[in-house]
Amino acid sequence: MGDYAYAAPSTVDSTVELLSNTAQSGGRAQVLAGGTDVLVQMRSVDREPRLLVDVKQLAETNKLSIGDEEIYIGAAIASAVLNENAELKGKLPGLIESADLIGSTQIQGRCTIGGNLCNSSPAGDTIPALIANSAVCHIVGADGERNVPVEDFLTGVGTNCMAPHEFLLGLRIPTPKGRTGDAYLRFIPRTEMDIAVAGAGVRLTLDENGTCTEARVGIGAVAPTALVVPDAAAALIGSNVDEAALNAAADACSAAASPITDKRGTVEYRTKVVGVLCKRAGAIARDRAVVA
Amino acid sequence: MAEAVDLKAIGTRPVRPDGVEKVTGRANFGADLSLPGMLHAKILRSPHAHARIKSVDLSGALAMDGVVAAISGKDLPGGGDLGVNILAKDKALYHGHAVAAVAARSAYIAEVALDSIKVEYEPLNPVLSIDAAIADGATLVNESMHTNGDTSQPASNIAAITKFERGDVEKGFADADVVVEGEYRVPTAHQGYIEPHACTATINEEGKATVWCCTQGQFDVRSMTAQCLEMAVSDIRVIPSEIGGGFGGKTTIYLEPVAVKLSAISGRPVKMVMSREEVFRATGPTSATLCRTKIGAKNDGTITAASAWLAYEAGAFPGAPVGPGCMSVLAPYDLENFAIEGNDVLVNKPKVAAYRAPGAPQSMHAMECTIDELARKLDMDPLELRLKNCAEEGTVAPYGPQFPAIGLKACLEAAKEHPNYTTPPAEGQGRGVAVGFWFNIGMQSSAEIRIAENGAVTIMEGSPDIGGSRASMCLMAAETLGVPYKTINAHVGDTEATGYCNTTGGSRTTFATGLAVIEACEDIITQCKQRAALTWELDVDQVDWQDGQAVPKPGVNADVKPLSLADIARSAGRTGGPLLGRASLNAQGPGASFSVNWTDVEVDRETGKVDVAAFTAVQDAGRAIHPSYVEGQMQGGAVQGLGWALNEEYIYDANGVMENAGFLDYRVPVTSDMPMIDTQIIEVPNPSHPYGVRGVGETPIVAPLAATSNAVRDALGFRINDLPLSPPRVLEAIDANG
């Protein structure tokens, strides 16, 4: 490795200032939360020296609140902390499970949902679950704050909409209200410590009769970015989330997928399996909604 | 030798002598050494799988601040293929082939400096598969390679053909009621040792070099390094570190001559540590293979003939383990008629290295799948079919020798009675059975036993400990000397500290180095009896050694107290000086080890994922010196075999670039992928070892490949011939079979 610089500002303003000044002077800054992607990349694929700006010291990135309308998850909160929050896990089990899939127990102590999103891998495990949960990115930068839906935040493989002077403060998620459930499933050839070959997240709400009134479906690892699949949601809404509806949602996911063949799977394989995952995640979300 | 009885130490499960150092992180591995003034070296690797090297210009790198030395292939004069593999000369023969090396003040500077080396390549068509290599008009990996050295024939990518034959195969197939045949492919697999290759070297003004490295054989590192540098072996001292896994992959060298050469130029110690990516791209995996197998049998299950045609990728240099593949493929069976042919095939991929029972898992995968199909056709239990045809004491092995006592039949019978076998697989699961074999080797070992003045025993031997061998040596010494295990410690000496010893490999260490340790202990006993006789003023033949003490023989009239090892050691100065026992030998009769494995699997028909629900390994250990380490070998081999069967493979692009050169995408199993591997040790003593030891380290990886294939066959109702049984391959097959 070359010579790196490190800073850990204590306020949002000073963080933005540092990012802005570095960008203006032609330097390169990299925001660091848990570092579980950044530190690996620094040692392997991208070894160019840079200024690491640690955002873990900010109160805003560590904010966790569960309101009647909105759940706010600070961008720098470690997955293990989220996983130990029973109330949060009760409200958003699928999202928390998606975060829990990242890495090992040791990695869980550091990795964050914010970092997983900002790394913007097509295969990031929390992203389809965030999309299914209608999560909105709370971004701050030299031009002030803005809010961007997760599906619009992602712009390509490893890229997102943030300018060099911006960083992610947290995620806003509509609080689920009664008879709502979410779920995320990914396929990996192993049982853990792996990267998604395909992934699907579903959140849905049932009425008293078990009819689905709202649904959102997100899929991952089958396109340059994770995608929202409105057709899959449409297949569920109005149904009892029975096998026929789940199969229709699965077909919609397969149709929305535009995967590549690579070392992790073929086009045919990913196209089929993303549907299977949607079907299975949809059934889990339904079962959770029934008891919610 | 007689079977030992009333064993006290052997068969117990004490803590290993090197355990505390390892679990507390104190043990030093290959990359742990630092020396004052040390430089760090990095390797420039070929971006082409096959290219002529027209020129290498090191000047740009040498001009950089912090760079101290740089070399290319012409700076390594010797070593034949080994030397060419370590630094390419005229051609780059695989993607990742080392072309040049730079030593600098830091590893980062060395790595950046690689970009300033100018190499002019003329890219050539790469040969990337067996099919491509043996096709008419194939591009030649080595233009001067002729099969079996026969220059009357055109040059070929087939370096050698090996044949074993007996009887009349065609008549045997004609006599059969049932004939089954198949074609099976097994992919390239890496040993997957966690510790990357690493070494540090220094050479002084007298030309005396010292090399610290992680290796399975310090004496082989010494001789190989000497060859590459055209030095005398006696001018190189090799000090082995602890080893973070080898599995055969650390029986050769990649870095050491480069480090010595760079040290000679710079006058400073040079350290080299491979990255994981380098380990995958440039160190020896084992062969990808294509095997065609055929078996004929009578309706009662008697095999009338068998044949196997094997082709193994050698990588860019001859030396695929196809010979052992041929030796193993039919070893479990007593056959009148067979024909085995093995082809050693060059391709533009890394030179293969030994991997646990080199060559056996691939050929036996093909044959044990074929046997399974035969059992299905005959509607026979797969264990019964094997029992009907199995090799026993007196059977002449397909590769020549007559088997002494072997444990195959005992393993098959134990499997048949095992509750994991008599209980049928759970609903929806499939079960597969396979037999494993490895012939094991003996070879040269030395051992020295030193007795401290308090009676404590130090073993000095030369076998790097890759599987708990220090504990096994201590147990055999405890048994032989009759002293407590905890009073003994075992050390692996460097090339100057201990007598010559062949590399830890071939499952030879517990057998051969164990024999040396036992003989050295017997030397100590002889000396102790002499010292006691001297002390008691008796004749030496009036003294016995019992339970760690010298005692007068029954009937000898002597009013003396027994003398313990500590008693004799304490007064050794008065009876002839320090106690030092030694032995050196070339061990014969290593004793083959057979196994029977079976596994129950479940297949997710929507994703193609195979889950291993249960796995049982039964294996003949001859005598389990430390049963926990025998079981550990059985379990570890099973897990490596299961990983190879299910997910491990090298994935290459059309240009011969490996696409999955890391543990994320080269998928060895993680713990949660595996069930508890159930083990049963069978003990049919090896008649060539005083305690009956057979090597156990390699056999365990052999059977899991076919056992898994056969289980998936059972679960799905149809067979997938090729490995790995990865989800995309399995799902595609499920879709194709409706």
Side-chain angles (χ1 to χ4, degrees):
Chain A
M1 283 185 291
D3 294 328
Y4 281 75
Y6 171 85
S10 55
T11 67
V12 171
D13 287 349
S14 58
T15 307
V16 170
E17 196 183 332
L18 190 57
L19 292 173
S20 300
N21 291 345
T22 308
Q24 277 167 21
S25 64
R28 181 182 174 199
Q30 168 123 37
V31 174
L32 178 80
T36 58
D37 284 310
V38 172
L39 296 182
V40 174
Q41 288 159 3
M42 273 163 51
R43 287 177 167 83
S44 53
V45 290
D46 179 8
R47 301 174 61 159
E48 189 188 314
R50 71 200 79 161
L51 168 65
L52 291 169
V53 180
D54 188 338
V55 296
K56 284 194 292 294
Q57 309 305 318
L58 306 176
E60 290 82 351
T61 59
N62 286 288
K63 179 185 161 191
L64 179 66
S65 65
I66 302 173
D68 291 342
E69 297 301 322
E70 181 182 281
I71 294 172
Y72 191 95
I73 299 174
I77 302 174
S79 177
V81 174
L82 301 177
N83 206 24
E84 286 171 8
N85 186 316
E87 187 186 2
L88 182 65
K89 210 172 167 179
K91 300 264 187 211
L92 299 171
L95 176 64
I96 302 309
E97 283 166 4
S98 77
D100 191 40
L101 290 173
I102 303 167
S104 60
T105 301
Q106 292 89 332
I107 295 294
Q108 282 287 308
R110 278 281 169 182
C111 70
T112 65
I113 291 182
N116 192 238
L117 180 59
C118 291
N119 190 50
S120 301
S121 159
D125 279 309
T126 62
I127 304 174
L130 287 168
I131 289 174
N133 277 294
S134 307
V136 171
C137 306
H138 181 205
I139 298 165
V140 66
D143 306 327
E145 296 183 16
R146 60 182 178 130
N147 294 293
V148 181
V150 166
E151 58 270 29
D152 299 333
F153 175 83
L154 303 160
T155 54
V157 177
T159 61
N160 56 53
C161 72
M162 287 193 296
H165 57 80
E166 290 182 311
F167 72 102
L168 184 70
L169 278 178
L171 291 148
R172 304 180 190 280
I173 296 165
T175 305
K177 308 228 170 99
R179 289 179 71 82
T180 295
D182 75 333
Y184 170 77
L185 291 175
R186 67 170 180 183
F187 183 81
I188 55 172
R190 290 186 281 217
T191 45
E192 59 180 333
M193 306 295 290
D194 214 327
I195 188 164
V197 175
V202 178
R203 169 158 149 174
L204 51 78
T205 303
L206 305 177
D207 68 12
E208 292 307 312
N209 303 318
T211 303
C212 178
T213 56
E214 284 178 48
R216 287 263 292 179
V217 176
I219 56 176
V222 289
T225 68
L227 300 173
V228 60
V229 190
D231 289 351
L236 299 174
I237 293 169
S239 79
N240 289 328
V241 197
D242 53 11
E243 197 176 336
L246 288 167
N247 283 334
D251 290 345
C253 286
S254 294
S258 58
I260 54 167
T261 291
D262 70 3
K263 58 199 172 188
R264 292 175 190 144
T266 58
V267 167
E268 298 75 22
Y269 185 79
R270 288 178 146 144
T271 302
K272 180 168 182 185
V273 169
V274 75
V276 172
L277 295 169
C278 169
K279 186 174 68 176
R280 293 178 180 181
I284 296 169
R286 175 197 64 203
D287 294 346
R288 283 177 173 163
V290 169
V291 297
Chain B
M1 296 182 207
E3 187 179 334
V5 291
D6 293 336
L7 298 173
K8 292 190 174 71
I10 286 170
T12 62
R13 302 170 184 250
V15 168
R16 60 199 295 163
D18 48 316
V20 170
E21 295 287 302
K22 282 181 176 158
V23 300
T24 56
R26 288 185 175 87
N28 286 319
F29 291 83
D32 286 333
L33 186 76
S34 276
L35 294 173
M38 184 175 82
L39 301 176
H40 300 262
K42 292 284 175 184
I43 300 255
L44 179 70
R45 298 183 179 278
S46 170
H48 304 288
H50 195 190
R52 210 166 295 288
I53 300 172
K54 303 184 83 170
S55 64
V56 181
D57 179 1
L58 303 170
S59 60
L62 285 166
M64 287 177 63
D65 185 34
V67 172
V68 184
I71 60 171
S72 63
K74 67 177 169 46
D75 297 302
L76 277 195
D81 283 352
L82 179 70
V84 177
N85 192 40
I86 288 171
L87 273 181
K89 308 276 189 289
D90 305 327
K91 275 168 83 174
L93 292 164
Y94 53 93
H95 178 262
H97 193 169
V99 173
V102 170
R105 217 169 46 226
S106 75
Y108 181 71
I109 294 171
E111 189 152 321
V112 170
L114 297 178
D115 293 339
S116 300
I117 297 174
K118 291 200 186 92
V119 185
E120 198 185 341
Y121 294 101
E122 178 195 333
L124 302 168
N125 185 35
V127 181
L128 297 174
S129 68
I130 289 167
D131 306 81
I134 65 179
D136 289 338
T139 300
L140 294 170
V141 175
N142 179 343
E143 293 82 355
S144 58
M145 178 65 63
H146 297 264
T147 306
N148 292 350
D150 180 359
T151 51
S152 71
Q153 296 297 314
S156 168
N157 287 322
I158 300 175
I161 297 177
T162 308
K163 289 185 182 180
F164 295 122
E165 291 171 348
R166 181 187 300 159
D168 185 338
V169 179
E170 291 316 313
K171 183 177 178 305
F173 284 127
D175 290 346
D177 297 320
V178 179
V179 174
V180 289
E181 52 191 317
E183 179 176 296
Y184 297 86
R185 288 171 197 269
V186 175
T188 307
H190 198 269
Q191 297 85 349
Y193 34 82
I194 297 300
E195 180 196 28
H197 298 262
C199 77
T200 301
T202 184
I203 181 164
N204 69 15
E205 289 67 16
E206 285 184 308
K208 300 276 187 191
T210 305
V211 176
W212 294 261
C213 61
C214 52
T215 177
Q216 291 174 236
Q218 62 276 43
F219 290 93
D220 273 355
V221 173
R222 182 175 73 167
S223 61
M224 291 177 186
T225 304
Q227 281 169 33
C228 291
L229 296 167
E230 296 182 331
M231 290 172 68
V233 290
S234 49
D235 284 341
I236 303 174
R237 177 183 184 186
V238 178
I239 303 175
S241 68
E242 291 298 339
I243 182 167
F247 310 106
K250 289 176 184 162
T251 57
T252 187
I253 60 168
Y254 301 98
L255 303 173
E256 288 77 1
V258 175
V260 172
K261 187 72 191 179
L262 289 167
S263 175
I265 295 170
S266 64
R268 293 162 67 172
V270 173
K271 179 173 181 170
M272 301 185 78
V273 181
M274 277 196 192
S275 68
R276 178 64 55 194
E277 186 180 337
E278 289 181 290
V279 170
F280 274 112
R281 295 202 191 284
T283 72
T286 192
S287 301
T289 58
L290 168 60
C291 300
R292 298 189 182 113
T293 46
K294 184 174 175 183
I295 306 176
K298 291 288 192 189
N299 281 327
D300 71 353
T302 306
I303 296 174
T304 56
S307 69
W309 180 89
L310 316 176
Y312 281 38
E313 287 185 7
F317 304 89
V322 69
C326 291
M327 290 168 71
S328 305
V329 64
L330 286 166
Y333 303 104
D334 186 2
L335 301 171
E336 282 180 25
N337 308 299
F338 62 81
I340 304 164
E341 178 184 314
N343 292 264
D344 185 10
V345 183
L346 299 195
V347 291
N348 289 114
K349 295 182 184 175
K351 176 175 167 53
V352 300
Y355 179 18
R356 209 168 189 164
Q362 297 101 314
S363 65
M364 290 189 77
H365 167 258
M367 192 57 79
E368 290 299 295
C369 287
T370 311
I371 292 275
D372 192 69
E373 287 301 317
L374 177 64
R376 288 176 179 281
K377 273 208 168 175
L378 296 170
D379 197 22
M380 273 183 86
D381 177 276
L383 292 177
E384 287 297 346
L385 175 60
R386 289 172 171 93
L387 273 167
K388 190 161 186 73
N389 295 284
C390 73
E392 295 182 80
E393 182 171 356
T395 299
V396 178
Y399 54 94
Q402 191 171 31
F403 284 125
I406 52 171
L408 174 56
K409 194 173 188 183
C411 288
L412 287 164
E413 282 168 347
K416 217 173 88 176
E417 302 299 318
H418 199 290
N420 293 0
Y421 194 77
T422 55
T423 309
E427 180 70 29
Q429 294 178 357
R431 176 171 293 171
V433 176
V435 165
F437 161 82
W438 188 246
F439 45 86
N440 295 325
I441 62 171
M443 302 175 70
Q444 300 173 82
S445 284
S446 311
E448 210 176 273
I449 307 283
R450 302 163 187 168
I451 311 299
E453 54 270 43
N454 66 351
V457 179
T458 295
I459 301 168
M460 182 61 75
E461 41 96 358
S463 295
D465 183 354
I466 64 173
S469 58
R470 277 178 283 217
S472 299
M473 298 307 147
C474 291
L475 281 168
M476 286 185 274
E479 192 71 54
T480 308
L481 292 171
V483 301
Y485 171 86
K486 64 179 193 308
T487 66
I488 308 174
N489 207 344
H491 295 272
V492 179
D494 67 62
T495 53
E496 297 291 307
T498 187
Y500 185 85
C501 187
N502 281 117
T503 291
T504 295
S507 300
R508 63 176 294 278
T509 297
T510 308
F511 170 71
T513 304
L515 273 176
V517 167
I518 293 163
E519 283 193 17
C521 288
E522 285 165 351
D523 186 16
I524 289 286
I525 292 169
T526 300
Q527 293 176 40
C528 284
K529 289 198 283 194
Q530 287 164 348
R531 307 295 178 98
L534 195 67
T535 305
W536 294 332
E537 296 178 344
L538 294 173
D539 287 339
V540 70
D541 58 11
Q542 293 178 299
V543 179
D544 247 350
W545 186 259
Q546 277 178 4
D547 298 328
Q549 301 183 113
V551 293
K553 274 192 176 160
V556 174
N557 187 15
D559 182 20
V560 293
K561 275 197 261 182
L563 288 172
S564 70
L565 193 56
D567 295 332
I568 295 166
R570 204 177 302 116
S571 60
R574 295 197 299 272
T575 58
L579 292 166
L580 180 65
R582 58 199 173 96
S584 67
L585 46 80
N586 189 348
Q588 306 296 316
S593 176
F594 286 89
S595 68
V596 177
N597 291 180
W598 65 99
T599 181
D600 295 347
V601 305
E602 195 163 329
V603 182
D604 183 333
R605 286 174 170 271
E606 289 186 319
T607 65
K609 186 165 191 276
V610 177
D611 284 323
V612 183
F615 193 101
T616 309
V618 178
Q619 187 182 334
D620 175 20
R623 173 86 60 204
I625 299 299
H626 192 304
S628 295
Y629 297 156
V630 174
E631 290 159 2
Q633 292 286 351
M634 292 164 74
Q635 291 167 327
V639 170
Q640 285 188 313
L642 284 163
W644 198 354
L646 294 176
N647 281 304
E648 292 181 41
E649 64 177 323
Y650 277 36
I651 301 170
Y652 284 96
D653 73 9
N655 298 316
V657 179
M658 187 185 179
E659 292 187 318
N660 57 334
F663 277 139
L664 180 57
D665 288 301
Y666 180 88
R667 289 188 169 79
V668 300
V670 296
T671 307
S672 53
D673 293 340
M674 293 288 114
M676 183 64 193
I677 308 291
D678 220 337
T679 58
Q680 183 182 356
I681 300 170
I682 301 297
E683 295 187 316
V684 175
N686 175 6
S688 301
H689 187 279
Y691 299 122
V693 167
R694 298 174 192 275
V696 296
E698 289 169 289
T699 298
I701 197 179
V702 179
L705 278 67
T708 308
S709 276
N710 293 339
V712 171
R713 159 71 183 82
D714 194 42
L716 290 178
F718 61 88
R719 182 171 291 281
I720 303 170
N721 286 25
D722 298 345
L723 298 181
L725 296 164
S726 58
R729 171 170 284 141
V730 172
L731 190 63
E732 194 183 346
I734 288 170
D735 289 344
N737 281 270

Short mmCIF file of all heavy atoms in Angstrom, two decimals, chain B residues 383-410:
data_model
loop_
_atom_site.label_atom_id
_atom_site.label_comp_id
_atom_site.label_asym_id
_atom_site.label_seq_id
_atom_site.Cartn_x
_atom_site.Cartn_y
_atom_site.Cartn_z
N LEU B 383 -22.21 -52.14 -1.62
CA LEU B 383 -21.17 -52.74 -0.77
C LEU B 383 -21.01 -54.22 -1.09
O LEU B 383 -19.89 -54.75 -1.13
CB LEU B 383 -21.52 -52.56 0.71
CG LEU B 383 -21.47 -51.13 1.26
CD1 LEU B 383 -21.92 -51.12 2.73
CD2 LEU B 383 -20.07 -50.55 1.15
N GLU B 384 -22.13 -54.91 -1.34
CA GLU B 384 -22.06 -56.34 -1.68
C GLU B 384 -21.28 -56.55 -2.98
O GLU B 384 -20.47 -57.48 -3.08
CB GLU B 384 -23.48 -56.92 -1.85
CG GLU B 384 -24.26 -57.10 -0.56
CD GLU B 384 -23.63 -58.10 0.41
OE1 GLU B 384 -22.73 -58.85 0.00
OE2 GLU B 384 -24.04 -58.09 1.59
N LEU B 385 -21.55 -55.70 -3.95
CA LEU B 385 -20.83 -55.82 -5.23
C LEU B 385 -19.33 -55.67 -5.00
O LEU B 385 -18.52 -56.41 -5.55
CB LEU B 385 -21.33 -54.76 -6.22
CG LEU B 385 -20.60 -54.71 -7.56
CD1 LEU B 385 -20.68 -56.03 -8.32
CD2 LEU B 385 -21.15 -53.57 -8.43
N ARG B 386 -18.97 -54.71 -4.16
CA ARG B 386 -17.54 -54.50 -3.90
C ARG B 386 -16.96 -55.66 -3.09
O ARG B 386 -15.83 -56.09 -3.33
CB ARG B 386 -17.34 -53.15 -3.22
CG ARG B 386 -17.58 -51.98 -4.18
CD ARG B 386 -17.58 -50.63 -3.48
NE ARG B 386 -17.61 -49.51 -4.42
CZ ARG B 386 -18.70 -48.91 -4.85
NH1 ARG B 386 -19.89 -49.31 -4.43
NH2 ARG B 386 -18.64 -47.89 -5.69
N LEU B 387 -17.72 -56.15 -2.11
CA LEU B 387 -17.24 -57.29 -1.31
C LEU B 387 -16.98 -58.50 -2.20
O LEU B 387 -16.03 -59.25 -1.99
CB LEU B 387 -18.27 -57.65 -0.23
CG LEU B 387 -18.14 -56.88 1.08
CD1 LEU B 387 -19.39 -57.08 1.94
CD2 LEU B 387 -16.90 -57.34 1.86
N LYS B 388 -17.82 -58.66 -3.20
CA LYS B 388 -17.69 -59.82 -4.08
C LYS B 388 -16.40 -59.76 -4.90
O LYS B 388 -15.87 -60.80 -5.30
CB LYS B 388 -18.89 -59.87 -5.03
CG LYS B 388 -18.99 -61.16 -5.81
CD LYS B 388 -20.39 -61.38 -6.35
CE LYS B 388 -20.50 -62.74 -7.01
NZ LYS B 388 -20.53 -63.85 -6.05
N ASN B 389 -15.89 -58.57 -5.15
CA ASN B 389 -14.74 -58.41 -6.04
C ASN B 389 -13.52 -57.81 -5.36
O ASN B 389 -12.54 -57.46 -6.03
CB ASN B 389 -15.14 -57.51 -7.21
CG ASN B 389 -16.20 -58.15 -8.10
OD1 ASN B 389 -15.89 -59.04 -8.89
ND2 ASN B 389 -17.45 -57.71 -7.95
N CYS B 390 -13.55 -57.62 -4.04
CA CYS B 390 -12.52 -56.78 -3.42
C CYS B 390 -11.16 -57.47 -3.33
O CYS B 390 -11.05 -58.70 -3.21
CB CYS B 390 -12.99 -56.31 -2.04
SG CYS B 390 -12.99 -57.55 -0.76
N ALA B 391 -10.14 -56.65 -3.38
CA ALA B 391 -8.77 -57.10 -3.18
C ALA B 391 -8.58 -57.49 -1.71
O ALA B 391 -9.15 -56.87 -0.82
CB ALA B 391 -7.80 -56.00 -3.56
N GLU B 392 -7.78 -58.52 -1.50
CA GLU B 392 -7.49 -58.98 -0.14
C GLU B 392 -6.00 -59.30 -0.04
O GLU B 392 -5.27 -59.19 -1.03
CB GLU B 392 -8.26 -60.27 0.16
CG GLU B 392 -9.77 -60.10 0.19
CD GLU B 392 -10.44 -61.43 0.53
OE1 GLU B 392 -10.47 -61.77 1.72
OE2 GLU B 392 -10.90 -62.10 -0.39
N GLU B 393 -5.58 -59.75 1.12
CA GLU B 393 -4.20 -60.20 1.28
C GLU B 393 -3.92 -61.27 0.22
O GLU B 393 -4.70 -62.21 0.07
CB GLU B 393 -3.99 -60.79 2.69
CG GLU B 393 -2.57 -61.25 2.93
CD GLU B 393 -2.30 -61.63 4.39
OE1 GLU B 393 -3.20 -61.47 5.22
OE2 GLU B 393 -1.16 -62.06 4.67
N GLY B 394 -2.83 -61.08 -0.53
CA GLY B 394 -2.49 -62.04 -1.57
C GLY B 394 -2.90 -61.60 -2.96
O GLY B 394 -2.34 -62.07 -3.95
N THR B 395 -3.87 -60.71 -3.06
CA THR B 395 -4.26 -60.20 -4.37
C THR B 395 -3.08 -59.45 -4.98
O THR B 395 -2.41 -58.67 -4.29
CB THR B 395 -5.46 -59.23 -4.24
OG1 THR B 395 -6.56 -59.94 -3.67
CG2 THR B 395 -5.86 -58.65 -5.59
N VAL B 396 -2.84 -59.68 -6.27
CA VAL B 396 -1.79 -58.92 -6.95
C VAL B 396 -2.41 -57.62 -7.44
O VAL B 396 -3.37 -57.63 -8.22
CB VAL B 396 -1.20 -59.72 -8.12
CG1 VAL B 396 -0.14 -58.89 -8.84
CG2 VAL B 396 -0.60 -61.03 -7.61
N ALA B 397 -1.90 -56.50 -6.93
CA ALA B 397 -2.45 -55.20 -7.28
C ALA B 397 -2.26 -54.94 -8.78
O ALA B 397 -1.31 -55.46 -9.38
CB ALA B 397 -1.75 -54.11 -6.47
N PRO B 398 -3.14 -54.16 -9.39
CA PRO B 398 -3.02 -53.87 -10.82
C PRO B 398 -1.65 -53.29 -11.18
O PRO B 398 -1.18 -53.46 -12.30
CB PRO B 398 -4.13 -52.86 -11.08
CG PRO B 398 -5.13 -53.08 -10.00
CD PRO B 398 -4.34 -53.53 -8.79
N TYR B 399 -1.01 -52.62 -10.25
CA TYR B 399 0.29 -52.00 -10.53
C TYR B 399 1.46 -52.90 -10.15
O TYR B 399 2.60 -52.43 -10.16
CB TYR B 399 0.38 -50.63 -9.87
CG TYR B 399 0.11 -50.60 -8.37
CD1 TYR B 399 1.14 -50.70 -7.46
CD2 TYR B 399 -1.19 -50.48 -7.90
CE1 TYR B 399 0.89 -50.67 -6.09
CE2 TYR B 399 -1.45 -50.45 -6.54
CZ TYR B 399 -0.41 -50.55 -5.64
OH TYR B 399 -0.65 -50.53 -4.29
N GLY B 400 1.20 -54.16 -9.81
CA GLY B 400 2.31 -55.09 -9.68
C GLY B 400 2.42 -55.86 -8.39
O GLY B 400 2.34 -57.09 -8.39
N PRO B 401 2.62 -55.18 -7.24
CA PRO B 401 2.94 -55.95 -6.03
C PRO B 401 1.76 -56.75 -5.51
O PRO B 401 0.61 -56.44 -5.80
CB PRO B 401 3.34 -54.86 -5.04
CG PRO B 401 2.69 -53.62 -5.52
CD PRO B 401 2.60 -53.73 -7.01
N GLN B 402 2.10 -57.76 -4.74
CA GLN B 402 1.06 -58.55 -4.08
C GLN B 402 0.74 -57.88 -2.75
O GLN B 402 1.65 -57.55 -1.98
CB GLN B 402 1.58 -59.96 -3.85
CG GLN B 402 0.52 -60.94 -3.41
CD GLN B 402 1.05 -62.37 -3.42
OE1 GLN B 402 2.24 -62.60 -3.18
NE2 GLN B 402 0.18 -63.32 -3.69
N PHE B 403 -0.54 -57.65 -2.50
CA PHE B 403 -0.90 -56.99 -1.25
C PHE B 403 -0.59 -57.89 -0.06
O PHE B 403 -0.98 -59.08 -0.06
CB PHE B 403 -2.40 -56.67 -1.21
CG PHE B 403 -2.82 -55.50 -2.03
CD1 PHE B 403 -3.81 -55.62 -3.00
CD2 PHE B 403 -2.26 -54.24 -1.83
CE1 PHE B 403 -4.22 -54.52 -3.76
CE2 PHE B 403 -2.65 -53.14 -2.58
CZ PHE B 403 -3.63 -53.28 -3.55
N PRO B 404 0.12 -57.38 0.96
CA PRO B 404 0.14 -58.08 2.25
C PRO B 404 -1.23 -57.86 2.92
O PRO B 404 -2.18 -57.49 2.23
CB PRO B 404 1.27 -57.38 3.00
CG PRO B 404 1.34 -56.01 2.40
CD PRO B 404 0.83 -56.12 0.99
N ALA B 405 -1.33 -58.01 4.23
CA ALA B 405 -2.61 -57.78 4.90
C ALA B 405 -3.10 -56.38 4.59
O ALA B 405 -2.38 -55.40 4.77
CB ALA B 405 -2.43 -57.95 6.41
N ILE B 406 -4.33 -56.27 4.09
CA ILE B 406 -4.95 -54.97 3.84
C ILE B 406 -6.35 -54.97 4.43
O ILE B 406 -6.92 -56.04 4.69
CB ILE B 406 -5.04 -54.63 2.32
CG1 ILE B 406 -5.70 -55.77 1.54
CG2 ILE B 406 -3.66 -54.29 1.77
CD1 ILE B 406 -6.01 -55.43 0.08
N GLY B 407 -6.89 -53.78 4.60
CA GLY B 407 -8.14 -53.66 5.37
C GLY B 407 -9.38 -53.37 4.56
O GLY B 407 -10.40 -52.98 5.14
N LEU B 408 -9.34 -53.57 3.24
CA LEU B 408 -10.52 -53.19 2.44
C LEU B 408 -11.75 -54.00 2.84
O LEU B 408 -12.82 -53.44 3.07
CB LEU B 408 -10.21 -53.37 0.95
CG LEU B 408 -11.40 -53.14 0.00
CD1 LEU B 408 -12.02 -51.76 0.19
CD2 LEU B 408 -10.97 -53.34 -1.46
N LYS B 409 -11.58 -55.31 2.92
CA LYS B 409 -12.74 -56.15 3.23
C LYS B 409 -13.29 -55.81 4.62
O LYS B 409 -14.51 -55.73 4.81
CB LYS B 409 -12.34 -57.63 3.16
CG LYS B 409 -13.52 -58.56 3.14
CD LYS B 409 -13.06 -60.00 2.89
CE LYS B 409 -14.29 -60.89 2.69
NZ LYS B 409 -13.91 -62.30 2.51
N ALA B 410 -12.38 -55.58 5.55
CA ALA B 410 -12.81 -55.21 6.91
C ALA B 410 -13.60 -53.90 6.90
O ALA B 410 -14.59 -53.74 7.62
CB ALA B 410 -11.61 -55.10 7.84
#
